[in-house]
Amino acid sequence: MAALPFSTTCRHSSSPLHHNSKSSFIGFSQRNNIWQLFVITKSISRKSIRKLSVKNVASDEKQELKDPLAKRDTFYEFIPDSASIASSIKFHAEFTTPFSPEKFELNKAFFATAESVRDSLIINWNATNDYYERKNVKLAYYMSMEYLQGRALLNAIGNLQLLGPYAEALTKLGHNLEDVANKEPDAALGNGGLGRLASCFLDSLATLNYPAWGYGLRYKYGLFKQHITRDGQVEVAENWLEMGNPWEILRNDVTYPVKFYGEVIPGPNGSKQWVGGENILAVAYDVPIPGYKTRTTINLRLWSTKVSQEEFDLQAFNSGDHAKAYAFLKNAEKICYVLYPGDESIEGKTLRLKQQYTLCSASLQDLIARFEKRSGKRVNWDTLPDKVVVQMNDTHPTLCIPELIRILMDVKGLSWEKAWNITKRTVAYTNHTILPEALEKWSLTLLQDLLPRHVEIIRMIDEELIHEIISEYGIDDLDLFQQRHKKMRILENIELPSSVMELLSTEETSTVDPVKVIDVEGNDVMATEKEEKKDENDDEEEVGEEGKEEEYDENLSIEEDTGNKVEVRFKVDPKLPMMVRMANLCVAGGFSVNGVAAIHSKIVKDEVFNEFYELWPEKFQNKTNGVTPRRWIRFCNPDLSKIITKWIGTEDWVTDLEKLAILRKFADNEDLQLEWIEAKRRNKIKVASFLKDKTGYVVNPSAMFDVQVKRIHEYKRQLLNIMGIVYRYKRMKELSAEERKEMFVPRVCIFGGKAFATYVQAKRIVKFITDVGATINRDPEIGDLLKVVFVPDYNVSVAEMLIPGSELSQHISTAGMEASGTSNMKFSMNGCILIGTLDGANVEIREEVGEDNFFLFGARAEDIAELRKERAEGKFVPDPRFEEVKAYVRSGVFGPYNYDELMGSLEGNEGYGRADYFLVGKDFPSYLECQEEVDKAYRDQKRWTKMSILNTAGSYKFSSDRTIHEYARDIWRIEPIDLA
């Protein structure tokens, strides 16, 4: 194809696009089926040519690859200046952005700038993937339902070391870089810590040059956009894709079939074929993830869903039945509409399960196609675990296990034994929670209907697991077998496999034996024993001998077997649902299980999966979470970053966070403290301006900024925080103006976070916080002494604004219930002091920053069970101040809303939604006393600033770089590959 000449000269000469910088667009050419785009500017020599080659990695066509490391005289060595960047932005503004050519407003400037940056990323992206393919390296594939990416522009420019040139280029074009960057919407691909952790991991993987990919779903609307009204939280669809996404590249040639429903047909030699049902297509969208100061740029592949156009019923459409015409299309598309659709209905549950399977199936088909392509004509499936490792981020991708087995058996023709062995060496599992409701269970009936072949495979895995338990421990002690079986089985309230039943049947010499009933999750396993034994009480409550004897007698039956063979029967309780326990499937099918903080991993081993840990101790390990220091301090807090670099003497800390420890020796230095205070003051002014813009509330930057921003959940105890504020307000109202100022440090209490749409109690908490704020903020007697602000629609960009300006951060979950937390790390890294319980990563943060630099309160994790038991027995006596606060709330001082149900959840000794399960009342007095210590410390600004410096200095352990090094070394067994 001949080059077609074009000029970037525009008809609208007054447009700011057309700065004096000269540039010309030479044209496109096609060579070896790879498109090349050439942009020449006066600052680039003709040897410095930009090559954009976007390849289909699933293609069978083998392209001849050149070693990118050998290209010493090409664009890879070229560092663009502001003039060449301005020319690139001008080109994209005229030729590629989805905006009209007449104006160069902020939205258009953002798109043009982003596409200019993407050009540079694509060069490194292609070089990275080409090199991995040519070297046939082992890749880690990170599977996650969430990626809370945040805005990408400043992060990408920062990682490319081009912040200065881009700022200068945009100034030449009439715009400010910060204003342009603020036009980017947050990608709505995640909810909270799970998704943000996944995004931090991708940043660290790229920065540390580890070969890896991320897989996720491309949600059209994400979770939801949160509005705060007089009625509390209101959810509306998030419109992050309304103007398009300049960072993604649609791969129309990378699609995979995904099936639901249908039936399983037996084939020859024991093979199975899954046929019929509903068929959709998963389509790939790729997003480049750049590393910091490295050419390595890895890939995040997101799946969208559709059906072929043949499914559009043109005849129905023309006859007026439009809904029928679009039915198949919309049914496929809705899979990727919303993150975590409500699952109260069977339709909602089905949609969630479809989402999870789509992620697993499309991703596994893709990585297997990549493995086969790199393997050449002869594929040795035994080497798959040597080239591929799949990390499941929580239980959402659990179906990776049966899906990989299905592909290996039904598509590739491997035996069950071989497929199962390969899978067990390929898949790893990260546990993120000990909450029972978050350890996913799925209805067997729903799974059987939606994924019939996978249920067959899950049954086989369950059978293998039971046999391994029997092989390890035997069945001489049926009580012990019952206990392990109850905790470890993947299938719940489902009959034992026939092969296990045969093992449990034993030859006896007597013809008449008593039968003992063993309760297993509501099932009756009946087995004869030679001697009568008394039943053990499952709830570990003390029962008298007489009661035990009566219970045993009720369960006895006599059976006669003339063949001297004991009959063992397993009864399913029809009143209880048949379920599949996904976490148990993850542990059984994966080669590694890790928790995400030291205390969490201990609970995982000692409590949640204790029986599995005893069986396979080598599988279990800890990987304390971390956050990327690039986004969470270097880019979001430039003022503090400059100070750190100055006092440490190098900027190497951005990729080697251990260097932050050097700050410890300067913590008492007055010059450093003055600079530190000034940086915090500037950040607080920005926060105050942001709060006024978002909420209308005016706050005093001289007050302490006290922040709790995270997903709204009862265990995270935003309720404890706001009740503490209510107590503070009540005490203020009881004092004179002079006494108030003497007793209380001025505070701005900031909340943020989303309550899940169907989580009624969490939404009540949001409503309560906003009502308290509305009352306090309008009270002229209190003035600037206390403000309460709820920031709507909390996301990554809001966090990047709030965290640098925060001084006290609340991480006050009930001990033992937060797996790790990552926002606690971000706050500490930015010199914010934490108040919290010994929960999650708080434990390790306190160890690293020093006990004197952390405000600790509350019950310990090991005491929680006993405290709940005490409550159930009616022995708990609430603190009088706690009762005062509840009565004050019920008095109506915060408006007409009826808070009886919210306050009632903190009362009583037992019952769902009552009995203060999260121990707000128990920890309340300790919390108030700790807050008094906070006020005391804040009055001494020299002491407070030293504590702040030591928090930053002690946060080095909590870099995601450290976490990724540990994953790579201990789980994935991958090595860094440096392209630089």
Side-chain angles (χ1 to χ4, degrees):
M1 177 187 234
L4 300 176
F6 289 94
S7 170
T8 56
T9 305
C10 180
R11 294 184 299 272
H12 306 282
S13 59
S14 61
S15 169
L17 279 174
H18 303 286
H19 194 267
N20 291 330
S21 175
K22 296 179 181 178
S23 67
S24 61
F25 171 63
I26 301 303
F28 289 97
S29 68
Q30 191 179 33
R31 187 174 302 163
N32 297 327
N33 295 319
I34 300 176
W35 286 100
Q36 296 182 333
L37 169 65
F38 301 92
V39 179
I40 309 284
T41 75
K42 66 177 182 180
S43 58
I44 309 178
S45 70
R46 291 190 177 271
K47 288 184 179 180
S48 301
I49 295 176
R50 308 184 68 172
K51 176 180 176 183
L52 277 71
S53 59
V54 181
K55 297 184 181 178
N56 169 19
V57 296
S59 170
D60 293 329
E61 210 173 337
K62 190 74 176 175
Q63 298 285 351
E64 188 173 334
L65 301 173
K66 294 182 179 179
D67 186 351
L69 301 183
K71 299 180 180 180
R72 299 302 179 189
D73 60 342
T74 68
F75 181 82
Y76 297 102
E77 291 287 315
F78 173 71
I79 299 176
D81 58 16
S82 61
S84 61
I85 288 171
S87 295
S88 175
I89 294 172
K90 286 160 60 179
F91 165 78
H92 283 292
E94 185 161 354
F95 288 100
T96 67
T97 62
F99 295 91
S100 59
E102 288 81 11
K103 298 178 181 179
F104 188 59
E105 294 177 338
L106 282 173
N107 282 328
K108 185 174 184 177
F110 160 66
F111 263 81
T113 303
E115 287 168 336
S116 166
V117 175
R118 196 184 72 173
D119 287 351
S120 296
L121 297 184
I122 287 175
I123 293 167
N124 292 336
W125 192 21
N126 283 331
T128 302
N129 287 317
D130 285 350
Y131 196 62
Y132 291 168
E133 184 174 334
R134 189 168 69 81
K135 293 294 184 181
N136 195 15
V137 299
K138 182 178 183 180
L139 269 85
Y141 293 97
Y142 201 76
M143 300 274 192
S144 180
M145 286 291 285
E146 296 187 45
Y147 289 93
L148 203 57
Q149 290 288 92
R151 292 170 175 165
L153 180 60
L154 290 180
N155 189 75
I157 294 173
N159 278 359
L160 291 169
Q161 297 289 285
L162 295 174
L163 280 169
Y166 266 93
E168 187 178 341
L170 283 167
T171 299
K172 292 177 181 178
L173 297 174
H175 287 300
N176 175 274
L177 174 58
E178 187 174 348
D179 293 337
V180 170
N182 285 337
K183 300 307 294 184
E184 180 177 7
D186 276 40
L189 300 172
N191 175 29
L194 185 80
R196 187 51 237 168
L197 178 75
S199 296
C200 283
F201 280 3
L202 293 185
D203 178 89
S204 287
L205 283 163
T207 297
L208 301 175
N209 301 305
Y210 282 113
W213 274 40
Y215 281 115
L217 295 181
R218 181 182 180 268
Y219 303 105
K220 184 174 182 179
Y221 300 113
L223 189 65
F224 58 80
K225 185 182 285 290
Q226 180 193 53
H227 290 173
I228 300 298
T229 70
R230 290 182 179 180
D231 297 322
Q233 173 180 296
V234 176
E235 305 89 25
V236 297
E238 174 64 72
N239 61 348
W240 76 286
L241 287 174
E242 185 177 32
M243 293 188 297
N245 179 8
W247 303 107
E248 68 186 12
I249 293 179
L250 167 62
R251 308 293 201 196
N252 279 317
D253 56 342
V254 183
T255 63
Y256 296 96
V258 178
K259 181 187 293 294
F260 305 109
Y261 306 110
E263 59 181 331
V264 181
I265 306 297
N269 303 319
S271 64
K272 297 290 182 74
Q273 187 178 9
W274 183 17
V275 299
E278 177 184 301
N279 296 282
I280 67 166
L281 286 176
V283 184
Y285 285 76
D286 286 350
V287 180
I289 307 295
Y292 179 76
K293 284 188 175 181
T294 175
R295 284 177 50 205
T296 300
T297 302
I298 64 174
N299 192 37
L300 171 59
R301 176 156 285 179
L302 304 173
W303 300 106
S304 187
T305 48
K306 68 176 186 178
V307 292
S308 63
Q309 295 306 306
E310 287 77 11
E311 298 289 349
F312 178 73
D313 192 338
L314 184 60
Q315 185 176 357
F317 187 87
N318 286 332
S319 66
D321 194 348
H322 302 151
K324 180 184 177 183
Y326 277 108
F328 286 109
L329 278 69
K330 293 302 180 185
N331 198 41
E333 290 172 359
K334 73 180 181 182
I335 292 173
C336 291
Y337 273 1
V338 175
L339 169 64
Y340 302 144
D343 60 353
E344 298 297 308
S345 65
I346 186 64
E347 292 81 8
K349 289 180 172 65
T350 302
L351 185 56
R352 278 209 192 190
L353 196 54
K354 281 185 172 183
Q355 287 183 335
Q356 294 187 4
Y357 180 61
T358 297
L359 169 65
C360 296
S361 181
S363 302
L364 286 172
Q365 288 181 73
D366 189 50
L367 69 86
I368 285 175
R370 293 165 56 79
F371 169 74
E372 288 181 305
K373 182 183 177 184
R374 285 183 286 142
S375 298
K377 294 181 179 179
R378 299 187 63 181
V379 179
N380 181 357
W381 290 105
D382 288 329
T383 66
L384 182 69
D386 300 325
K387 296 299 180 182
V388 166
V389 59
V390 175
Q391 186 71 42
M392 299 183 297
N393 193 28
D394 216 359
T395 53
H396 308 128
T398 305
L399 290 168
C400 280
I401 293 168
E403 174 66 0
L404 181 54
I405 293 172
R406 183 193 71 82
I407 293 172
L408 293 175
M409 290 179 65
D410 299 356
V411 181
K412 305 303 176 184
L414 274 63
S415 67
W416 153 254
E417 290 78 12
K418 200 162 192 176
W420 174 228
N421 180 267
I422 290 170
T423 299
K424 287 191 297 180
R425 294 189 291 125
T426 302
V427 180
Y429 163 52
T430 299
N431 174 272
H432 283 279
T433 184
I434 64 168
L435 295 176
E437 66 268 24
L439 293 169
E440 286 185 292
K441 293 182 182 181
W442 285 102
S443 161
L444 180 70
T445 304
L446 174 58
L447 266 170
Q448 179 70 56
D449 189 34
L450 194 69
L451 303 170
R453 178 59 175 138
H454 296 76
V455 169
E456 290 185 350
I457 294 169
I458 290 169
R459 285 183 179 274
M460 295 167 75
I461 297 171
D462 183 64
E463 185 173 358
E464 287 278 347
L465 173 61
I466 298 172
H467 278 288
E468 186 152 1
I469 295 169
I470 292 172
S471 175
E472 180 70 21
Y473 299 109
I475 52 174
D476 292 340
D477 188 335
L478 285 176
D479 282 338
L480 189 58
F481 171 73
Q482 176 262 332
Q483 291 168 18
R484 289 196 176 97
H485 170 276
K486 184 175 181 180
K487 289 286 189 71
M488 298 176 73
R489 265 201 88 178
I490 296 164
L491 301 177
E492 180 178 288
N493 194 35
I494 296 171
E495 70 283 351
L496 284 168
S498 58
S499 62
V500 177
M501 300 290 284
E502 291 173 5
L503 286 174
L504 291 176
S505 298
T506 58
E507 294 289 340
E508 297 288 348
T509 56
S510 64
T511 59
V512 180
D513 281 312
V515 177
K516 177 182 176 182
V517 175
I518 303 176
D519 177 62
V520 183
E521 318 158 335
N523 309 316
D524 292 334
V525 177
M526 305 185 70
T528 59
E529 295 184 0
K530 290 183 180 179
E531 300 177 0
E532 280 189 45
K533 292 184 180 178
K534 295 176 182 178
D535 233 352
E536 294 183 11
N537 187 284
D538 286 340
D539 294 328
E540 299 181 356
E541 296 174 0
E542 292 189 11
V543 180
E545 290 300 314
E546 183 179 352
K548 287 186 178 181
E549 193 67 42
E550 289 175 356
E551 180 181 348
Y552 178 69
D553 287 342
E554 287 174 359
N555 290 329
L556 279 178
S557 66
I558 304 297
E559 296 199 358
E560 187 171 326
D561 186 346
T562 56
N564 297 332
K565 188 173 183 179
V566 176
E567 182 182 356
V568 183
R569 296 198 303 272
F570 190 101
K571 294 181 180 178
V572 174
D573 188 340
K575 298 177 183 178
L576 296 175
M578 297 183 291
M579 307 296 289
V580 179
R581 298 192 280 194
M582 306 305 269
N584 287 18
L585 178 55
C586 286
V587 178
F591 69 86
S592 171
V593 180
N594 73 278
V596 290
I599 185 174
H600 169 239
S601 294
K602 185 176 188 301
I603 293 171
V604 164
K605 291 189 292 187
D606 295 349
E607 298 176 28
V608 182
F609 298 126
N610 178 251
E611 290 75 16
F612 285 107
Y613 175 63
E614 290 178 349
L615 180 61
W616 299 312
E618 71 282 356
K619 280 192 181 187
F620 289 79
Q621 52 186 290
N622 174 61
K623 293 288 170 279
T624 298
N625 283 342
V627 300
T628 166
R630 271 74 63 185
R631 182 179 289 270
W632 291 111
I633 182 167
R634 175 62 184 86
F635 300 147
C636 78
N637 199 344
D639 288 339
L640 189 62
S641 296
K642 290 174 185 175
I643 293 169
I644 293 170
T645 297
K646 172 185 172 182
W647 285 84
I648 289 179
T650 176
E651 202 182 35
D652 291 350
W653 60 270
V654 180
T655 51
D656 182 8
L657 212 62
E658 289 189 6
K659 286 184 164 55
L660 287 184
I662 297 172
L663 289 171
R664 285 173 172 156
K665 63 183 180 182
F666 303 117
D668 288 307
N669 187 288
E670 290 187 6
D671 291 336
L672 173 58
Q673 288 191 0
L674 289 173
E675 292 177 25
W676 203 269
I677 290 170
E678 178 58 22
K680 183 66 73 174
R681 186 188 69 82
R682 287 195 294 269
N683 285 325
K684 288 173 69 179
I685 290 171
K686 292 178 184 176
V687 171
S689 175
F690 171 80
L691 294 178
K692 183 176 186 299
D693 181 55
K694 290 293 182 182
T695 69
Y697 288 130
V698 177
V699 302
N700 184 358
S702 298
M704 179 202 298
F705 280 18
D706 172 354
V707 180
Q708 187 180 19
V709 283
K710 54 184 74 227
R711 178 167 53 93
I712 309 296
H713 197 290
E714 289 172 276
Y715 90 83
K716 294 179 183 287
R717 299 203 295 190
Q718 286 92 351
L719 187 55
L720 174 60
N721 185 354
I722 193 63
M723 291 189 75
I725 291 169
V726 169
Y727 178 77
R728 189 180 187 92
Y729 176 63
K730 183 176 180 293
R731 291 285 293 120
M732 286 180 176
K733 296 291 286 184
E734 295 167 351
L735 300 173
S736 67
E738 291 75 17
E739 289 171 328
R740 284 187 209 114
K741 290 182 181 179
E742 181 69 25
M743 183 170 291
F744 295 103
V745 166
R747 283 204 201 194
V748 177
C749 300
I750 302 169
F751 292 84
K754 295 178 181 179
F756 189 66
T758 58
Y759 190 175
V760 176
Q761 192 76 325
K763 294 177 80 169
R764 287 190 185 118
I765 292 170
V766 173
K767 168 67 173 165
F768 184 36
I769 294 169
T770 57
D771 281 353
V772 170
T775 300
I776 293 176
N777 297 345
R778 293 183 175 91
D779 191 330
E781 289 185 352
I782 302 303
D784 285 342
L785 203 55
L786 182 61
K787 298 288 185 186
V788 179
V789 183
F790 190 98
V791 180
D793 205 37
Y794 178 68
N795 58 24
V796 175
S797 296
V798 174
E800 290 172 327
M801 172 63 69
L802 291 180
I803 290 173
S806 301
E807 294 172 288
L808 180 74
S809 181
Q810 307 224 14
H811 303 273
I812 56 178
S813 52
T814 311
M817 302 202 75
E818 182 75 85
S820 168
T822 52
S823 65
N824 44 8
M825 303 170 184
K826 299 164 195 169
F827 280 102
S828 185
M829 199 174 283
N830 281 271
C832 182
I833 301 161
L834 309 190
I835 178 171
T837 53
L838 284 180
D839 195 27
N842 282 1
V843 177
E844 293 162 81
I845 291 174
R846 183 169 176 261
E847 290 172 355
E848 297 298 330
V849 305
E851 294 181 5
D852 294 339
N853 305 305
F854 184 106
F855 294 105
L856 177 67
F857 76 95
R860 301 319 201 243
E862 59 268 24
D863 300 326
I864 299 301
E866 187 61 33
L867 290 170
R868 286 179 179 144
K869 181 182 176 185
E870 177 187 272
R871 181 72 179 240
E873 294 170 352
K875 297 177 182 178
F876 173 68
V877 179
D879 188 277
R881 293 169 293 183
F882 189 61
E883 298 302 289
E884 281 180 38
V885 170
K886 288 191 297 178
Y888 193 56
V889 172
R890 283 179 165 135
S891 73
V893 67
F894 300 114
Y897 185 84
N898 188 337
Y899 282 107
D900 281 348
E901 289 192 73
L902 184 59
M903 295 298 106
S905 71
L906 305 172
E907 297 171 339
N909 295 321
E910 58 185 356
Y912 179 77
R914 293 181 63 77
D916 192 11
Y917 184 78
F918 301 99
L919 304 182
V920 174
K922 175 65 182 178
D923 281 349
F924 191 71
S926 174
Y927 179 69
L928 294 183
E929 290 156 13
C930 194
Q931 289 287 11
E932 290 176 4
E933 291 298 314
V934 171
D935 277 6
K936 180 180 177 182
Y938 194 76
R939 287 190 178 95
D940 184 349
Q941 278 294 291
K942 184 174 177 62
R943 175 192 170 192
W944 187 274
T945 305
K946 180 179 179 180
M947 293 171 70
S948 175
I949 294 169
L950 290 174
N951 263 268
T952 297
S955 66
Y956 59 86
K957 176 181 177 179
F958 306 103
S959 167
S960 52
D961 294 351
R962 186 266 313 153
T963 313
I964 286 300
H965 274 312
E966 292 179 3
Y967 271 99
R969 180 191 66 211
D970 303 334
I971 299 178
W972 302 335
R973 307 294 171 89
I974 59 175
E975 297 292 334
I977 308 249
D978 190 357
L979 275 72

